[in-house]
Amino acid sequence: QVQVAESGGGLVQPGGSLRLSCAGSGFNFSMYSMNWYRQAPGKQRELVASLVLSGLTNYANSVKGRFTISRDIAKNTGYLQMNSLKPEDTAVYYCNFGGIHSAFWGQGTQVTVSS
């Protein structure tokens, strides 16, 4: 069965850091691109970072220079390192694996940045 599970969210102060993890199982992890999305209350879901099969990365302008996306193929796990966090980063963060014919989503993990 396909499963995607995020972890690592929590409450941090502005300027702090978090590392989100995304564990996948039940599919060919190496054949899917990996993406992180977030959705804040009252806002549209936003693509935060992506890592395609070629290894190229892309980031939303709002997080560029602060967030880093990566993956460990052997562990079937993706990561989002989040540094210099701001209150506007507060959102539910979702991991997504996208392929040619299918896409898999996790249930999300809450990140709250507040003093």
Side-chain angles (χ1 to χ4, degrees):
Q1 300 295 318
V2 172
Q3 291 190 338
V4 178
E6 303 95 337
S7 62
L11 174 64
V12 296
Q13 297 184 54
S17 297
L18 284 174
R19 187 196 192 201
L20 306 183
S21 298
C22 181
S25 63
F27 64 99
N28 190 346
F29 187 83
S30 66
M31 295 301 296
Y32 287 78
S33 62
M34 180 184 130
N35 309 280
W36 285 94
Y37 292 79
R38 68 185 182 189
Q39 188 166 27
K43 296 183 179 179
Q44 296 267 37
R45 185 170 295 184
E46 173 190 21
L47 177 62
V48 174
S50 61
L51 174 59
V52 299
L53 295 180
S54 67
L56 294 177
T57 59
N58 193 39
Y59 300 92
N61 287 335
S62 59
V63 307
K64 194 171 298 181
R66 300 188 296 118
F67 291 10
T68 302
I69 187 172
S70 63
R71 68 195 294 171
D72 187 330
I73 298 295
K75 294 182 178 180
N76 281 14
T77 301
Y79 305 95
L80 184 67
Q81 179 66 45
M82 309 164 64
N83 299 325
S84 302
L85 284 162
K86 305 174 180 179
E88 51 263 43
D89 295 318
T90 296
V92 177
Y93 283 72
Y94 298 91
C95 177
N96 161 267
F97 294 94
I100 299 298
H101 302 294
S102 60
F104 307 116
W105 291 83
Q107 292 183 327
T109 184
Q110 176 71 49
V111 172
T112 301
V113 185
S114 179
S115 59

